Amino acid sequence: MMNDPRSPPALLKRLCVRVTGLGDDTVQPLFQQALRTLASDLSVQAEADEFQMAEKIKRKLARQGREKDAAVISELHRKLQSQGVLKNRWSCLSLLLCLSDNTSKHRPLPGSHIFASSRGQYATSTPMTHRAGPQQTPAVGGSTIQSGMSTGSSGISSIHSGRSGDPTPVPQSFAPSHLSGTALGQTPYTAGRPTLGQRLALSLNRGGQQSSTSVVPRGSKSVTIASTHRDGEDNVSYEIPEAVLLREMVYVLQGIDGQLIKWDINNAGYRIDDKAGIARAVRQKVTKLAECGWLYTKIRKYADARSSDKAFGLVGQSFCAALHQELTEYYRLIAVLEAQLQQEHDQGVGMGPGGLTLRQLSVWTFDPLSRLKALAALVDVCKGKKGGALATVIHSYLQHGDPFMRALVKHTLTLVAQPIFGIVLRWLHDGELEDTYHEFFVASDPTVKDERLWHDKYSLRKSMIPSFLNMDQARKILLTGKSINFLRQLCQDRTQIKRRDVVRAAETTEAASMFTQDLDGKFQAMIDTVYEETSRHLLEILHTKYKLMDHLKALRRYLLLGQGDFIRHLMDLLEEDLAKPAGTLYLHNLTGVLETAVRATNAQYDDADILKRLDVRLLEVSPGDTGWDVFSLDYHVDGPIRTVFTPECMIMYLRVFNFLWRAKRMEYILAGVWKGQMSNARMFRSLPELAPLLHQCQVICSEMVHFVQQVQYYINFEVLECSWDELLQKVKEAKDLDHIIAAHQVFLDNIITRCLLDEQSRAILTQLRTIFDLIIQFQEIQDRLYQAADDELTARHRAEERAHARSEKGEWGLTDSDEQTEERRKAEFLRNIPSMRAQVRVLAQSYQDMVQKFLLMLAGHADVSLRFLSFRLDFNEYYKAKEPKLRSPLTYQRSKRRT
């Protein structure tokens, strides 16, 4: 082909001789350089793009640190375009670029600078020769490029003939103007049919039916690639300049397919063309470099998809912004690489040593590759996360041993935490919660009414609490904003919080302070200060304006029977009415009795608002109930104090009142029984046949009085007074409303448990109520006994009076019929005494059995106060002597083991 003077290679060689003025042998290296230039499609025709030429000038000025000059050039170019005076603006810009070259080179003809700049560099180059088939470069199989692939050796000395450690290989241009006429994602090297340079190289290398390998001149940079072209059955080898690989890598770094390196969908990575016979070392280097493109594509796709997803939330959008910010740095690297290749193309450096090489590209992309790997790892773990959960995942990477990784994560976390920090500040200071996408750890339920605001409207969304905030901090943040809303919506208080200057002084505006609390305590100090001042203001409003403690004390006095004189007088007034069947009671009558009791006792001196809330309540009536079973006092609460005294709490108060009212009734009954025994003791001395029975009643009464007194002592002092004292202490020390609510709830829970009103003590409570029923039965038996004795005594007194009256008239005191009637009545009375004695004996035995069982249950209770109650009830060990189980000191432990 070279012997034909009309062949393209011959014409090209003649052109080189004429331009350079060298002989045929001397011009050979430059002729080979021209062939490679044409093979790589490095054509100056692409420079006819005016915009690209202007961009080259600005990039060059920017690299020299002359940003202001670049801005002036941009403004002048814009004015030239708008005026339309110059038609050939590209030529003017090209002239300016040539004149600005600090190497003092000029470009008289398009393309002549290639040879002029390269002259002398190839004076000692080895002439190109043709070798037979055994030296042909074998094709290497294709390889898939993935993020986890091993790193190949750096450098490209294995692909150069001549000396190792060759100077920097020469890259080719990667100007955007080369994309004209090509499809998106292709390099100019892939567009259309083979170029003139490619055909020239093929024609030079065709020496017959066998493939041949060209010997690369010393100093030039190229890679041998075996490629098959359908021209008969010829298998042709030709050289690909390293600049082509560099240009391919610039595309791959942007996630765009090249001719040799393309995306493999099946293996999810970049794959080198199987037909590309690239040396193993270079293949490994290219594989490592292509990992950047794979990671970049992965990160960009995630960031682009999530940026348009509104459900990802503000925190997720901030994460995407952080990713885009990091990718912006990566874009700058790509721009620098493009500018470097473009400059080398403009100055002709790409035709000889001293240009960009794969080794340099590997070094330049080392840090970006590390950053891309870190970002890709964050992208993997953040999938499906949002809000505080997303911040938690990113924060988990902050405690990293690598300072580079730690700095990257800290920067990313700072951007991600900014929306959370902004919501925290608005919530702490204004009580505003703008959480459209449910990514904040404070949740709000708009369907909840104001009266349940404190309990149900706001809550912690634990899955969204960032790991850099502990539960105590999250709780304080929740309570602070909730307190502000409570003051505004329920208390109707919009006054400024006192000591606002203290709150403002503790504020911080740095989002990073949330996750650097081990180094900086500003965030913790801000939370503590705002929380304390807001909570103090709320408690002050509740205590002063809404009299929280006054209502608490009123409940203690009236529903927990703390006002003794009032309760006693109320029982005296209600005794007759409550003894009637429950269905015959009228609420207005009982309310009138209540008002009378208030006016007659010290309760009249209470605040009018408190007395107005005190009322009577009748429970649901069951068959056989009397007024004692359904009567109850009630206390109405509303407004902000209803947050503390919730309906559930008021039900607990009613349960406790019914228990205390029943126990107080037992005390009232036994007091009446004892009073009857004392008043009737002398009167019934004239009935000696009743003496044993009356004595037995007095013994039973004494046992019952002792039992009820000990139970009352336990209830009033060990339960109510001790729990009340703890409540007052906790309310005094409370720092927020939640502490008061919790203390009040603990107070009620303790009373419920120790008064045997919980589920675990249901059996003991049933036993106690049985004992109370026996006390009522005893009262009824004694009343019947006293009634019978009183009737008998009255009849005897009448008989004596009649006899005395007749004697005074001089008649016999008693006639025979009177004596017979008197004897029959006495006999009837004496016959009833054994039956009454039997009733008392049975009741006494039942009572002792119930008490004994009750003591055994108390001894096995978990509460130590109830176990001590069993000791006091059996202080003389009477029941202990009768029941062997009560003798063991391990009763509780054994009972615990059985359960």
Side-chain angles (χ1 to χ4, degrees), residues 701-753:
C701 180
S702 299
E703 292 182 13
M704 292 181 173
V705 168
H706 168 72
F707 180 87
V708 171
Q709 285 181 346
Q710 293 301 319
V711 170
Q712 284 284 357
Y713 175 86
Y714 165 77
I715 293 173
N716 290 328
F717 294 97
E718 296 194 19
V719 177
L720 295 179
E721 285 300 326
C722 292
S723 299
W724 176 252
D725 184 68
E726 293 177 2
L727 174 61
L728 292 181
Q729 188 65 26
K730 289 180 180 179
V731 170
K732 182 179 179 181
E733 298 173 355
K735 295 183 178 180
D736 56 53
L737 183 56
D738 260 0
H739 287 164
I740 293 180
I741 294 175
H744 181 247
Q745 189 63 48
V746 170
F747 168 72
L748 289 177
D749 289 342
N750 287 337
I751 295 177
I752 291 290
T753 301

Side-chain angles (χ1 to χ4, degrees), residues 524-538:
Q524 180 67 48
M526 180 188 70
I527 292 178
D528 291 341
T529 303
V530 178
Y531 158 75
E532 291 173 1
E533 295 302 326
T534 305
S535 299
R536 182 183 293 111
H537 180 66
L538 172 59

Side-chain angles (χ1 to χ4, degrees), residues 482-550:
K482 188 161 64 172
S483 298
I484 294 175
N485 285 281
F486 185 84
L487 285 168
R488 292 177 178 176
Q489 299 181 31
L490 267 75
C491 300
Q492 304 300 319
D493 180 82
R494 295 183 177 272
T495 60
Q496 285 289 341
I497 297 175
K498 296 181 179 180
R499 302 178 63 188
R500 189 69 175 179
D501 54 338
V502 178
V503 175
R504 292 297 182 187
E507 287 183 4
T508 178
T509 58
E510 299 178 1
S513 62
M514 290 194 298
F515 53 84
T516 58
Q517 299 183 46
D518 52 342
L519 303 176
D520 185 4
K522 291 182 179 179
F523 184 73
Q524 180 67 48
M526 180 188 70
I527 292 178
D528 291 341
T529 303
V530 178
Y531 158 75
E532 291 173 1
E533 295 302 326
T534 305
S535 299
R536 182 183 293 111
H537 180 66
L538 172 59
L539 295 183
E540 183 179 353
I541 293 295
L542 289 177
H543 284 302
T544 56
K545 183 177 180 180
Y546 294 98
K547 301 178 181 180
L548 175 64
M549 284 305 301
D550 290 346

Side-chain angles (χ1 to χ4, degrees), residues 614-627:
L614 190 60
D615 199 1
V616 173
R617 180 174 183 174
L618 294 178
L619 306 180
E620 185 178 354
V621 178
S622 299
D625 285 345
T626 64

Side-chain angles (χ1 to χ4, degrees), residues 81 195 198 282 336 381 415 427 461 479 501 566 607 728 752 783:
Q81 286 180 316
T195 63
Q198 294 169 3
V282 177
V336 171
V381 298
L415 296 178
W427 177 252
R461 191 182 286 120
L479 289 178
D501 54 338
F566 167 77
D607 188 89
L728 292 181
I752 291 290
D783 288 345

